[in-house]
Amino acid sequence: MELPMCSPLLLLLRGGQPIIGFGPILSAGTFVSAFVVGFVALYAAPFAVDLAPFVRDVMFYLTAAFFLFYVYLSVEIFLWQAVGFVAFYLFFVGIVFSMDLGYSSIGGEKNQSSRNGRE
């Protein structure tokens, strides 16, 4: 029987057997990175991938997966590790916003210079 996606969080919050909650989290990440990305690539190919955001996302995903695997092997999660996951995600969101702002400002300068060149 397949558990709903919110059940890992419920299992971790209820007490019971928290180690069960990590399997679906890793499975969901594997599903998204393998099946969904593969299907989109097959459907929309060929397309260009912007290298900087792609490398950023892959590195953050691998780091988070490694940290989750470390917690899984240690068989228990401490408060500092849980806070570390949240802080890591907030750091990731900050990096994404700063990179997107940098790209939009660079793109805006390119669009502005191309407009000035045509006029």
Side-chain angles (χ1 to χ4, degrees):
M1 180 173 117
E2 190 66 30
L3 299 171
M5 290 306 293
C6 63
S7 65
L9 178 61
L10 295 175
L11 287 170
L12 290 172
L13 292 176
R14 271 196 307 190
Q17 294 181 353
I19 202 73
I20 295 172
F22 286 115
I25 293 170
L26 289 172
S27 295
T30 303
F31 173 77
V32 169
S33 61
F35 182 78
V36 174
V37 172
F39 183 75
V40 169
L42 286 173
Y43 182 76
F47 58 91
V49 175
D50 197 1
L51 187 61
F54 178 76
V55 170
R56 174 203 64 208
D57 292 347
V58 167
M59 295 309 292
F60 270 94
Y61 181 79
L62 290 176
T63 303
F66 176 75
F67 186 47
L68 185 62
F69 190 64
Y70 166 75
V71 170
Y72 178 78
L73 290 178
S74 69
V75 187
E76 59 185 333
I77 185 165
F78 297 101
L79 179 62
W80 70 268
Q81 293 168 325
V83 170
F85 276 117
V86 174
F88 184 69
Y89 180 73
L90 294 175
F91 177 66
F92 171 69
V93 169
I95 294 293
V96 168
F97 276 122
S98 67
M99 285 182 72
D100 284 349
L101 289 175
Y103 275 122
S104 64
S105 67
I106 290 171
E109 292 170 7
K110 287 181 181 177
N111 290 339
Q112 198 71 317
S113 63
S114 65
R115 287 185 194 143
N116 291 338
R118 282 190 245 160
E119 292 177 347

